[in-house]
């Protein structure tokens, strides 16, 4: 037998049944597809096909098509002053991104805590959002729901079309597919699986859904939001975790400055979503930078520049403003000093001496100048029954030199104001969607719940009217809020 012939015959038997060339071509095409999908900056939503299956799986997605609106939600936390600060940032973000802002309720003081941005130890956005949702449900169950729009006056912003807003309760009616107002729900109804699933979905616990929900995972540990800061988008922020923190906490966060309009505006995946969900929107100056949002001016954008000036100070609704003025005019009836003394909460409970020091210095000056008695409005978290042995007791005893005033939850003025606010229902009436859908669907026979707690806001308003001056607790956001009110001369 010929050896060469045998070899060729053996080689032919080892030939594969499938041609090699087409298989290689397919593999190359697959490689190119996966390379572009995972390794380039091409938006992933271009490759996705989100239509009927998503609508059937997530019926909430229909509201975008039905209303032709895009919404912005965020997760407020901590005390009222911090929540108000976040609300201002939310107004700014919603205006930049042209979205309707979902106005949240006022959360119980420290019911939800963020953590510490400087220490890079905060709740991740999904967990923060679901905790806020759960607390909102608790407020609704207990009849203690008070909208930010019930307390803060948005009328000038809405009337000038600077911002579009909708009350959370109205949005929830649509988002959760409810057929009656939330005020009409029995407490047990809030425990239904559909309500829980609705909150979980909105919080991003099920992930993002194309053209429906975009739940941001970015927070102060990795992002500083900016707007129209030339040639700075994508740069590293000056504030980064130091080496000791990296070593002790084993963290590897890198904070980058990102233009919010470029990242979440037209042309982005986020822009296609009906709901854009932020986590916390709290920010504060820190070590030459900002903890999360660094947008203080926008000269090229006249609309946003004007809005930035308007949201520096947001007044209370007329019911609260008038109550504060009434107390000053009809109760005190004379020039007075306001003393805001935070003595029991957090860091303040161990610094009584420092808190009282500034008040003593101010009163010594007023005592020498006269006339007597010096009228003082005392705003404090220390109950009068516990003033024994404190500087407040000393002032109260010296009735010839000082006359003290205070306000309590059960006082007639406070109760009257709470009733007026409940009757006004500013929150449910705020925004065009609320007017068209929310108020119309409310039933008059639904329980109204407990009266809103308004003492803090009336006290702040009274302090803004103090013509002899104001002494606040160092580091207190309440004191900062009062100083801002006094600066804007609303009394």
């Amino acid at each position: 037998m010929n050896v060469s012939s045998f070899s060729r015959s053996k080689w032919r038997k080892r030939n594969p049944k499938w041609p090699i060339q087409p298989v290689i071509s397919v593999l190359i095409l697959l490689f190119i597809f996966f390379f572009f999908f995972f390794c380039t900056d091409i938006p992933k939503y271009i490759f996705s096909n989100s239509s009927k299956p998503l609508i059937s799986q997530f019926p909430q997605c229909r509201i975008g098509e039905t209303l032709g609106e895009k919404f912005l939600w965020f997760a407020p936390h901590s005390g009222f002053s911090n929540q108000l600060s976040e609300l201002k940032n939310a107004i700014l973000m919603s205006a930049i991104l042209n979205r309707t802002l979902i106005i949240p309720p006022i959360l119980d003081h420290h019911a939800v805590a963020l953590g510490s941005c400087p220490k890079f130890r905060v709740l991740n956005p999904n967990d923060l959002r679901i905790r806020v949702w759960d607390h909102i449900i608790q407020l609704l169950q207990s009849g203690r729901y008070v909208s930010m729009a019930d307390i803060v006056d948005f009328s000038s912003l809405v009337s000038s079309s600077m911002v579009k807003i909708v009350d959370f309760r109205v949005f929830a009616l649509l988002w959760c597919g409810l057929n009656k107002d939330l005020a009409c729900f029995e407490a047990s109804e809030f425990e239904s699986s559909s309500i829980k699933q609705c909150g979980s979905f909105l919080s991003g616990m099920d992930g993002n859904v194309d053209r429906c929900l975009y739940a941001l995972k970015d927070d102060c540990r990795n992002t500083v939001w900016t707007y129209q800061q030339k040639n700075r988008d994508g740069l590293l922020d000056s504030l980064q975790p130091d080496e000791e923190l990296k070593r002790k906490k084993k963290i590897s966060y890198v904070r980058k400055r990102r233009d919010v309009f470029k990242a979440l505006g037209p042309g982005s995946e986020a822009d296609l979503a009906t709901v854009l969900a932020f986590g916390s929107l709290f920010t504060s100056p820190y070590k030459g930078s900002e903890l999360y949002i660094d947008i203080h001016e926008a000269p090229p954008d006249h609309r946003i520049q004007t809005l930035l000036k308007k949201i520096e100070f947001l007044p209370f609704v007329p019911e609260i403003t008038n109550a504060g003025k009434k107390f000053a005019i009809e109760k005190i009836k004379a020039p007075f000093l306001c003393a805001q003394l935070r003595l029991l909460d957090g860091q303040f409970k161990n610094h009584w001496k420092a808190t009282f020091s500034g008040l003593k210095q101010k009163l010594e000056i007023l005592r020498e100048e006269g006339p007597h008695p010096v009228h003082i409005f005392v705003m404090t978290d220390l109950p009068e029954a516990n003033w024994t042995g404190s500087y407040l007791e000393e002032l109260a005893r010296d009735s010839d030199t000082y006359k003290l005033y205070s306000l309590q939850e059960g006082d007639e003025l406070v109760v009257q104001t709470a009733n007026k606010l409940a009757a006004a229902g500013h929150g449910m009436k705020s925004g065009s969607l609320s007017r068209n859908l929310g108020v119309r669907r409310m039933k008059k026979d639904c329980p109204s719940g407990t009266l809103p707690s308004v003492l803090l806001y009336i006290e702040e308003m009274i302090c803004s009217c103090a013509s002899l001056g104001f002494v606040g607790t160092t580091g207190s956001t309440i004191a900062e809020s009062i100083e801002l009110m006094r600066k804007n001369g609303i009394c």
Side-chain angles (χ1 to χ4, degrees):
M1 184 178 178
N2 191 296
V3 175
S4 63
S5 174
F6 174 80
S7 298
R8 284 194 300 273
S9 173
K10 188 175 181 180
W11 175 257
R12 281 194 298 271
K13 288 179 183 178
R14 290 179 179 271
N15 260 346
K17 293 182 180 180
W18 298 96
I20 295 176
Q21 197 76 15
V23 173
I24 293 176
S25 299
V26 170
L27 290 174
I28 291 173
L29 288 173
L30 287 172
F31 173 79
I32 292 172
F33 173 79
F34 283 108
F35 174 79
F36 275 95
F37 189 81
F38 291 106
C39 304
T40 71
D41 292 329
I42 297 176
K44 307 300 183 285
Y45 63 85
I46 291 177
F47 299 98
S48 64
N49 180 24
S50 59
S51 53
K52 300 300 180 183
L54 286 176
I55 294 294
S56 59
Q57 185 179 358
F58 301 104
Q60 295 93 335
C61 301
R62 292 192 183 97
I63 71 168
E65 298 177 359
T66 304
L67 301 175
E69 294 271 356
K70 293 180 180 178
F71 301 91
L72 186 147
W73 188 49
F74 70 105
H77 53 82
S78 304
F80 173 77
S81 297
N82 280 341
Q83 293 175 47
L84 181 58
S85 173
E86 288 188 83
L87 180 63
K88 293 178 181 179
N89 290 327
I91 291 171
L92 176 63
M93 292 298 200
S94 65
I96 290 173
L97 299 173
N98 194 27
R99 287 179 172 270
T100 298
L101 175 60
I102 302 168
I103 301 295
I106 298 171
L107 276 56
D108 290 339
H109 190 67
H110 295 316
V112 181
L114 173 66
S116 172
C117 285
K119 295 180 180 179
F120 290 78
R121 187 179 68 246
V122 297
L123 279 178
N124 72 63
N126 281 5
D127 288 339
L128 186 64
R129 284 187 288 260
I130 195 63
R131 291 192 187 191
V132 169
W133 172 274
D134 289 342
H135 184 62
I136 291 176
I137 296 301
Q138 290 174 14
L139 294 174
L140 288 164
Q141 284 177 314
S142 60
R144 296 183 298 110
Y145 189 106
V146 179
S147 171
M148 268 287 186
D150 287 323
I151 304 300
V152 179
D153 190 353
F154 293 97
S155 58
S156 64
L157 295 178
V158 174
S159 62
S160 61
S161 301
M162 285 190 166
V163 64
K164 296 177 291 183
I165 64 175
V166 62
D167 187 87
F168 174 86
R169 291 163 293 186
V170 177
F171 172 79
L173 284 174
L174 303 167
W175 183 256
C176 299
L178 305 177
N179 58 11
K180 64 177 179 178
D181 181 66
L182 292 170
C184 300
F185 269 55
E186 297 290 337
S188 59
E189 292 183 87
F190 289 106
E191 296 298 326
S192 68
S193 59
S194 61
I195 294 290
K196 291 180 179 179
Q197 183 181 10
C198 183
S200 177
F201 179 42
L202 181 62
S203 301
M205 304 304 285
D206 301 317
N208 292 339
V209 177
D210 293 332
R211 301 178 183 273
C212 182
L213 174 73
Y214 192 91
L216 282 166
K217 296 181 180 179
D218 306 282
D219 58 30
C220 61
R221 295 172 293 187
N222 54 33
T223 301
V224 178
W225 292 116
T226 65
Y227 181 58
Q228 293 188 340
Q229 294 184 8
K230 290 184 178 180
N231 305 318
R232 301 199 67 185
D233 186 37
L235 296 181
L236 293 180
D237 186 62
S238 61
L239 176 62
Q240 300 291 340
D242 58 37
E243 294 303 320
E244 184 179 0
L245 191 61
K246 287 180 180 179
R247 179 175 54 82
K248 283 186 175 180
K249 303 298 181 181
K250 297 181 180 179
I251 59 175
S252 56
Y253 297 109
V254 176
R255 283 166 48 92
K256 289 188 176 181
R257 301 178 69 82
R258 300 175 62 195
D259 188 295
V260 67
F261 188 76
K262 292 179 181 178
L264 307 175
S268 68
E269 182 179 2
D271 185 61
L272 296 178
T274 298
V275 177
L276 173 63
F278 280 87
S280 167
L281 283 177
F282 175 76
T283 192
S284 179
Y286 187 77
K287 292 187 176 180
S289 183
E290 284 280 349
L291 291 179
Y292 191 45
I293 300 171
D294 189 5
I295 306 175
H296 300 286
E297 58 180 3
D301 191 331
H302 176 72
R303 181 176 68 95
I304 298 301
Q305 184 68 24
T306 302
L307 180 63
L308 280 165
K309 292 180 180 179
K310 287 186 76 72
I311 64 175
E312 282 182 5
F313 171 68
L314 294 176
F316 289 131
V317 292
E319 290 84 355
I320 293 172
T321 302
N322 294 337
K325 292 179 179 179
K326 182 177 181 179
F327 187 91
I329 295 171
E330 298 183 8
K331 183 70 174 179
I332 302 179
K333 303 178 183 178
F336 67 98
L337 172 76
C338 173
Q340 182 263 336
L341 307 170
R342 196 168 177 185
L343 302 170
L344 298 181
D345 185 50
Q347 60 179 328
F348 307 104
K349 60 186 178 183
N350 297 320
H351 297 86
W352 285 30
K353 186 176 180 180
T355 302
F356 284 131
S357 176
L359 178 59
K360 287 181 179 180
Q361 293 176 14
K362 180 67 175 178
L363 288 178
E364 285 175 5
I365 296 172
L366 292 176
R367 185 182 60 187
E368 291 177 3
E369 292 177 348
H372 294 169
V374 177
H375 298 268
I376 309 168
F377 177 73
V378 179
M379 177 183 179
T380 182
D381 53 356
L382 183 68
E384 191 169 347
N386 297 337
W387 286 10
T388 305
S390 72
Y391 182 55
L392 286 175
E393 182 191 30
E394 183 181 329
L395 293 176
R397 284 183 175 179
D398 190 358
S399 57
D400 291 334
T401 309
Y402 307 107
K403 185 170 184 179
L404 274 52
Y405 301 84
S406 62
L407 200 58
Q408 306 300 324
E409 284 283 1
D411 289 354
E412 184 179 1
L413 178 65
V414 178
V415 175
Q416 285 179 348
T417 305
N419 276 303
K420 289 178 181 178
L421 284 175
H426 296 296
M428 286 298 291
K429 296 176 183 176
S430 58
S432 58
L433 276 179
S434 299
R435 290 192 296 270
N436 297 336
L437 297 169
V439 174
R440 186 186 62 189
R441 294 175 66 171
M442 287 181 68
K443 296 182 180 179
K444 292 183 180 180
D445 57 350
C446 293
S448 58
T450 58
L451 290 176
S453 177
V454 297
L455 177 61
L456 170 65
Y457 321 124
I458 299 175
E459 287 181 318
E460 289 190 10
M461 185 61 210
I462 294 170
C463 285
S464 74
C465 297
S467 57
L468 292 184
F470 170 69
V471 177
T473 302
T474 303
S476 169
T477 53
I478 295 174
E480 293 172 3
S481 176
I482 294 170
E483 291 283 13
L484 186 59
M485 293 171 71
R486 293 175 61 81
K487 176 183 175 183
N488 283 272
I490 63 169
C491 188

